[in-house]
Amino acid sequence: MKPRITVITIGVDDLGAALRFYRDGLGFPTEGIVGEEFEHGAVVFIQLQPGLRLALWPRKSISHDSGVALGPVSPTEMTLGHNVDSKADVDAVMTRASAAGAVIVKPAHDTFWGGYSAYFQDPDGHLWEVVWNPQWSG
């Protein structure tokens, strides 16, 4: 199988609140909620970079579409990594996320591997790592 991940979909409990957090709070560009004319179709797509989108889709719709029963939420199932160019950028992103309503679960700090990172959770509990990795700079 050739890896071709083009959409990362995260389940949300309140699509409108998630839209406001990502669009208004973090400044992610989106056309807003689309597909409302279809039962279980309402979704938000956010262009992250060429060829990769983040989708916000109600958990109940994911359950309906996949046939998998809703289960308890666990923020440690995965993280979304947002790599930036400097320590100052980590601090700036964390300030913006906090102002948007994110829960800061681990403040920015120097890492054991020589980087600088922090963690926040979005309103639905998804865990984001904001990180500067000196090995990936330049």
Side-chain angles (χ1 to χ4, degrees), residues 9 26 43 58 71 85 115 121:
T9 303
L26 296 184
V43 64
D85 294 326
Q121 285 180 287

Side-chain angles (χ1 to χ4, degrees), residues 6 11 17 21 29 31-32 41 49 55 66 71 75-76 88 109 115-117 125-126 132:
T6 57
F21 177 78
E31 294 178 20
Q49 58 200 43
S66 67
T76 58
H109 64 284
Y116 188 72
S117 75
H126 298 104
W132 169 70

Side-chain angles (χ1 to χ4, degrees), residues 125-137:
H126 298 104
L127 194 57
W128 283 77
E129 180 186 22
V130 182
V131 61
W132 169 70
N133 183 337
Q135 303 301 316
W136 291 1
S137 296

Side-chain angles (χ1 to χ4, degrees), residues 5-64:
I5 296 174
T6 57
V7 178
I8 297 170
T9 303
I10 58 175
V12 300
D13 290 323
D14 181 331
L15 189 57
L19 170 64
R20 288 187 297 278
F21 177 78
Y22 283 98
R23 181 193 60 202
D24 304 338
L26 296 184
F28 288 7
T30 177
E31 294 178 20
I33 299 173
V34 299
E36 291 181 287
E37 66 273 24
F38 305 107
E39 184 177 8
H40 304 289
V43 64
V44 171
F45 291 107
I46 298 166
Q47 187 72 44
L48 297 176
Q49 58 200 43
L52 182 61
R53 289 182 175 86
L54 177 67
L56 312 175
W57 202 19
R59 293 182 208 282
K60 289 180 181 176
S61 297
I62 294 172
S63 174
H64 174 81

Side-chain angles (χ1 to χ4, degrees), residues 84 86-97 107-109 116 118 130:
V84 296
S86 69
K87 289 182 175 185
D89 288 346
V90 171
D91 294 337
V93 170
M94 293 303 290
T95 297
R96 183 165 190 165
H109 64 284
Y116 188 72
V130 182

